[in-house]
Amino acid sequence: MNLSFETFLPLAPVILLSLTAVLVMLAVSIKRNHCVSYWITIAGQLAALVSIFALDGFAVDRVATPVTDLILIDGHAYFYGALVIFASLVCTVFLRNFIESYGNNKEEVYMLLLIAAVGGLVLVSSSHMAGFFIGLELLSVPVYGMVAYTHERSRSLEAGVKYLILSAAASAFLLFGMALVYAQTGTMLFADLADKLAEHGGYLAGFGIAMIVIAMCFKLSLAPFHLWTPDVYQGAPAPVGALLATASKLAIIAILIRFLGHITSDLTAVLQPVLAVIAIVSIAVGNFLALTQTNLKRMLAYSSIAHMGYLLIALIAGNSVDVVSANVYLLTYVVTSLAAFGAISALSHGGNALDAEEVNHYRGLFYRSPALAVALTLVMLSLAGIPLTAGFIGKFYIFMTGVTTSSWILLAALIIGSGLGLYYYLRVMVALYDRTGNSQADNVPAARASVAIVILLVVLVLWLGVYPQPALEFINTLH
Amino acid sequence: MEILLIIALPLLGAGLPLLTERFGRNICAISAALGPALSLILILQYIPALLQHQMFFLHQPWVPQLGLDFSLRLDGLGMIFALMILVIGLLVILYARYYISNKDSLGRLYALLQLFMMAMLGIVLADNLLLLVVFWELTSLMSFLLIGYWSHSTEARKGARMALAITGAGGLSLLAGALILGQIVGSYNLDMILNSSALIQSHGLYPVVLILILIGAFTKSAQFPFYFWLPHAMAAPTPASAYLHSATMVKAGVFLLARLYPALSGSDLWFYLVTFTGLTTLVFGAYNALFKHDLKGLLAYSTISHLGLITMLFGFSSDLATIAALFHIINHATFKASLFMAAGIIDHETGTRDMRRIFGLARFMPVTATVAMVSASAMAGVPLLNGFLSKEMFFSETLKLDQLGNFSYIFPLLATFAGIFAVAYSYRFIHDVFFNGEPNKDLPIYPPHEAPLYMILPMAVLGLLCLALGTMPNLLVSPLLHAAAYAVLGTDIPRYHLAIWHGFNLPLLMSFVALGGGLLLYYQRKGLFAFYERGYRVDQKVVFEKRIQRLVRLAQRCTDAVENGSLQRSVAVIITATLVMAAIEFWPLGNILGEIPLTPIDGISVIMASIMIVAAVVTVSSHHNRYAALLALSAVGLVVSLAFVRFSAPDLALTQISVEVVTIILLMLALFFLPQLTPYESSWRRAIRDMVLAGGAGIAVGLFTLAILTRPYDTGLADFFIANSVSGGGGTNVVNVILVDFRGFDTFGEITVLAIAGLGVFLVLQGLELSVPRTDRHGRQWTRDPYPIIITVLSRMFFPLALMVSVFIFLRGHNQPGGGFIAGLITAIALILQYICSGTDWVRQRLPVDYGRMSVVGILVAVFTGMGSWLFGYPFLTTTFTHLHLPLVGDIELASAMVFDIGVYVTVVGATLLMLSQLGNLAQTIDPQAETDPDFTSEESR
């Protein structure tokens, strides 16, 4: 194969981000300066984002371009790539204020973030098991470091170690699964998988695929592989939680969609009931355990478990992957989640022993920081799926998938889960306007840049909720 | 376009009161009334045409992908609801002007009221089912905000949350129902849906659709068993209660029944579900209303009961019943809103709503008393008032039912029973509050005054309306009702006559029984109240709280059970799930074996396998004693190396054994700093769980291995390497050629990783201060003599030998088992032996090598070798080889790959020793001499 400049051109976002990571590292080794590292990171990510548009990433007539066997650049890859970069860009802004007051080295966190973003980009565009694994590890390993970045907090350290160990176990499963698939089919290319599976059949590959899916379920924190989620979300610094809840999940969903899309329907028929059970259990566990949480981060963790369960419905209902539904749902989920974690980040400081994570911190927030409180209200409404917010549109699509494929049990789980969900999202909302309760807040001023971004995100939430037309049309052109 | 304005004006007007709030309450109220008043004028223009059964549509695409259009329709049904919403809304705005105290923001209340008005108008005017759902959810949201208006009260916050949770969840169910309905019909357009009754009802999903939609309607209209949010919603400011929770929002549910009546009604399922839900609610609400001491509580239950009545009428699925239902919707809105306002005035003027504390107010507030009496009589169904008319129609409809055969009399019977209670609670409302003795002096506000005129006015208007509708129904309401009925029923509206006097008949008798029975009941109330208090008390709050508490407790229990943050459990769950998957996938186990026959079992293999199994079991069972476990573990490693030897993989065996040695030493050094024993933390249950899991996983992996080994594999790669090893890489040891030539780039990456790992360990350990244990767990000193002379001497003798072996292995590597990696490990072991036997300082003095630099040099050697091929115009890491004939030694093959292998060798030695010597360094402090050694301390501080 001839590798030339043109071959690598579609990879421009990946290359730009990698270069930025190196640049940040060099800048740190020359002279530590938080501001410089921050702006390099921002500039690099913006450049990567712009490069996607500059490459006409979303042109309607664009054909899928393979870059070596490992990577396939198409609309799907660019869509998720853009979302990953967007999420990490937003997290960068959240990180800045948070890390500013952190007593130890600040700059490396940007490097880790950038590497994780590179991993996410590789993952979303992989078309080969190797690319899959490299992307996943590149995405996960920096995140261990980021979760434990504020290692002076014992919770943060514990969360980091826990995530590391369990993630490593999941990765081992993934590798084992890939090995089994390869042993049976002799191919690591997604595109060949269907043919080879049909040719060789066999249950070794079937089990291999099941193991791959288990590893994915772990990363997506679907029940019963979700046990790490609340601890890690709680322990991780709030901006890192944002990354974990959005960029990381996005990239993994993207690869899961691709992967499931390439498996023959025979195999999905075997997987389907298993995944359906996982979806239902996730919805039940996520919503049920979120009910009594008094810690906002833990609540969001459980709610993310439930949301991933909803999303899974789009992936499995009716034995086919409803890509459009999944994309719409993810878009709305990412914007909303970023705003939720952004609000926590805005009130949290790396220098403190804890983030502003207890619901009590938010009691009467309206009277201290009205803009943030209103934003958080809308975020909660969006998470609950109330009309005119983004969350409604996303949930609507999942409903639609459930109805068109006649997946009644999944649909019932969705309805009951969402109903339960209302209850705990509302609890947070109500607390925001509660003047009477004793607020635990230490009256830290909210970080301006973070608040501005949160407001921007909430505007996006409303825009997607009120006038989703352009976004929906855009997503429809992708496939 | 004007239809759009009807909805849009309140929305646009919502901002006004917030802006004008500072100019005083009157201006604020007027600005708030502006939007709704204009809407009302707009809709009044349509009335003549609507009475002629015309319909007006507006179609505007919104999100076509979802089938969600901004389509509005204005027909008779929409008209009566819109009129109700706007007229009562305007009256409520006037009322709230006087009701809300200066402490609370009037502007905010007005803004919310108008937003609610917009949403409610949206429901009644929507022509697209999905649009209706959107507005539906918005009304829930606005009701949430209005109930929570008094944000300082816990009661209000809890009530608001409950209301939104119930109605919001109902909305989700409605959404699902609407989506399925849309799927059946192929459109969300109401026209299409309403005309597809046959299609819908013959569809297999009809029951699902019906139940989902009914859940939506019943939650909104507070039907049994979803009624409990409504009494809690009474924490809202009274204007909001009067407006939302009696006149409009709770009517959304019955509106939906009316709207979808043509499409969904007529089936048996519809009849049973709707009728019996309505009947239960009617009786249940009426019974409970009597015993509420809170004025608004009484009204809330009475609302529930009346909504049950309306629901039941829709359930009857007869044309006349439907007309009666529509009529009762109007009537209920008028008298109930009026009564809520009265309750608000009483609350406002006395400071309490507890009927046990307020008596005899008639003397103090005669006007309020009079109006309340009129409205309450309407509620009770006293002749000459509007409530009487619709109730009469209801009674006569119950008599017509024959679905239950001989048991059909149950409908009129229970209806009369509910009627008796309705009369009793209506009478109680009047008698308890306005008469029944003198007011207590301990009222929060004493003496009570009559409310301001403009506060009474809205209530009086509604009261008068009750009277007017009751006496002149044909003049005032017949045409409107006819238009609405036309919209619901279509062309064939049966003949009906709204008359006060139908002659002596059974319904009239039922009315009188209810009136008489109600009064009688009220006068026997003492015993009844005692019975109620004593017996099974259906206190909604307690029931709901209990239900919630139970759920919360359950959730808490689950949370506690699941959330212990245990890492082991997470891993256990993952492994269990995988095993389950494996079991599903591989069942039955019979076809695990592939076509390749099994090799015969021989004695040596059996012995080796048993040693390995025993060693593994010993490792696990003795893991509390770390050193013992380590020893057992090393046995496993050794047997693995032997297995490689046995199955003709000398390269692997060499690598394995050297890696094994290095690893064990590394582990021993690390374990040295840890407690010798790990505490027993797990219970026997967990031990068994872990044992089962470990056994299961082991068996599963064993089975996979068996499965894979008994299947043929593709030898293409192996054949290629064997064929090209000599010609392409100049070596007969295929493994080594692969390492340094075919896959040289991989090896290059690997040694880089190794070097980085070494540096990483070095950095992590640098500056680390560990307490060095001087004794073992029994308190015995570890050693008196760290460097026993015999070992020291022996090790020094071994050193040159080991180096020679490593050089030999390195050189032969290209053609026979060996190579840079193994040679590097052997050298490393030789050096470590010196460290162990003679101490760090001794070695350092004689061998002043910076291992970090060494590993980097190794990498550089590899890099430059690779780049060397660029000089000759080949890609990176292209190898060449030649044969050199040296005297004495003989034929020596020189391959550029060998230089690369030197790089590997140097890196391996450097990285390995970097880690081990640093770990050893930490342990060195055990040597008392070392602590005083100036050289050492300077080293440390560096």
Side-chain angles (χ1 to χ4, degrees), chain B residues 58 69 101 215 281 354 377 398 573 758 799 862 871 891:
Chain B
L58 172 86
D69 292 328
S101 73
I215 289 176
T281 315
D354 190 339
S377 309
T398 56
V573 169
F799 187 61
L871 293 177
D891 193 31

Side-chain angles (χ1 to χ4, degrees), chain A residues 158 161-163 165-166 169-170 173 176 180 182-184 202-207 210-211 213-214 218 224-228 230-231 267 270-271 274 278 288-289 291-293 298 302 363 367 381 384-388 392-393 395-397 399-400 403-404 406 408 411 414-415 418-420 422-423 426-427 429-431 433-437 465-469 472-473 476, chain B residues 62-68 108 130 133-135 137-138 141 144-145 151-154 157-158 160-162 164-169 172-173 175-176 179-180 183 188 205 208 212 544 548 551-556 558-560 562-567 569-571 573-575 577-579 581-593 701 704 707-708 711-712 717:
Chain A
E158 183 191 329
V161 172
K162 208 173 254 183
Y163 188 46
I165 292 177
L166 290 174
F173 276 71
F176 197 11
L180 284 173
Y182 181 69
Q184 183 102 52
Y203 56 165
L204 276 184
F207 182 64
M211 288 193 82
V213 170
I214 286 181
F218 169 84
F225 312 106
H226 66 284
L227 292 169
W228 58 276
D231 291 343
L267 263 170
V270 180
L271 272 181
V274 177
I278 289 178
F288 202 57
L289 294 189
L291 276 183
T292 57
Q293 298 300 333
R298 290 186 84 87
Y302 280 114
R363 221 162 267 290
Y367 306 99
L381 289 176
I386 301 286
L388 302 190
F392 175 75
I393 302 295
K395 203 160 265 175
F396 186 98
Y397 264 88
F399 261 96
M400 202 63 172
V403 169
T404 45
S406 313
W408 305 123
L411 199 60
L414 177 61
I415 294 176
S418 305
L420 275 176
L422 274 174
Y423 196 79
L426 291 181
R427 217 176 44 176
M429 245 173 84
V430 168
Y433 300 91
D434 178 7
R435 220 191 300 237
T436 52
V466 174
Y467 190 58
Q469 188 61 19
L472 299 183
E473 268 171 13
N476 271 316
Chain B
W62 184 8
V63 193
Q65 274 95 342
L66 308 185
L68 174 59
R108 191 147 68 92
L130 293 179
V133 177
V134 168
F135 282 120
E137 292 282 39
L138 287 184
L141 192 63
F144 168 76
L145 294 173
S151 48
H152 45 83
S153 118
T154 321
R157 273 182 284 120
K158 276 194 174 163
R161 198 169 65 186
M162 190 193 301
L164 184 50
I166 302 292
T167 54
L172 285 171
S173 159
L175 173 62
L179 285 175
I180 304 174
Q183 287 289 314
Y188 297 106
L205 290 174
V208 181
L212 286 172
F544 183 73
I548 284 288
L551 188 69
V552 167
R553 265 204 308 277
L554 186 63
Q556 191 65 54
C558 291
T559 312
D560 292 343
V562 174
E563 269 195 355
N564 61 355
S566 158
L567 193 61
R569 177 182 294 177
S570 306
V571 179
V573 169
I574 295 180
I575 293 177
T578 315
L579 284 178
M581 286 275 233
I584 296 173
E585 196 77 37
F586 286 91
W587 202 261
L589 283 176
N591 37 13
I592 272 279
L593 286 179
V701 172
F704 292 145
I708 291 180
R711 280 167 171 70
L717 272 181

Side-chain angles (χ1 to χ4, degrees), chain A residues 302-367:
Chain A
Y302 280 114
S303 113
S304 85
I305 295 171
H307 278 281
M308 287 300 125
Y310 303 146
L311 179 71
L312 200 55
I313 294 178
L315 299 188
I316 55 170
N319 233 337
S320 67
V321 183
D322 189 343
V323 184
V324 173
S325 284
N327 288 356
V328 173
Y329 191 81
L330 266 180
L331 181 66
T332 61
Y333 169 77
V334 162
V335 174
T336 313
S337 291
L338 277 177
F341 277 99
I344 302 177
S345 306
L347 294 171
S348 303
H349 293 278
N352 296 357
L354 275 178
D355 282 352
E357 52 187 53
E358 291 292 328
V359 173
N360 273 340
H361 277 115
Y362 295 84
R363 221 162 267 290
L365 182 69
F366 182 72
Y367 306 99

Side-chain angles (χ1 to χ4, degrees), chain A residues 5 54 59 74 96 118 142 153 182 194 209 228 276 314 399 450 466 469:
Chain A
F5 180 71
D74 55 6
R96 186 192 184 179
V118 172
R153 303 174 175 180
Y182 181 69
I209 286 170
W228 58 276
F399 261 96
S450 304
V466 174
Q469 188 61 19

Side-chain angles (χ1 to χ4, degrees), chain B residues 299-323:
Chain B
L299 291 177
Y301 274 99
S302 139
T303 304
I304 292 171
S305 166
H306 280 274
L307 289 167
L309 188 154
I310 298 166
T311 305
M312 193 173 163
L313 277 169
F314 278 118
F316 291 171
S317 315
S318 77
D319 293 349
L320 273 178
T322 308
I323 293 167

Side-chain angles (χ1 to χ4, degrees), chain B residues 131 175 638 695 766 770 825-827:
Chain B
L131 186 67
L175 173 62
L638 286 174
Q766 208 177 30
L770 292 171
L825 281 175
I826 291 173
T827 311

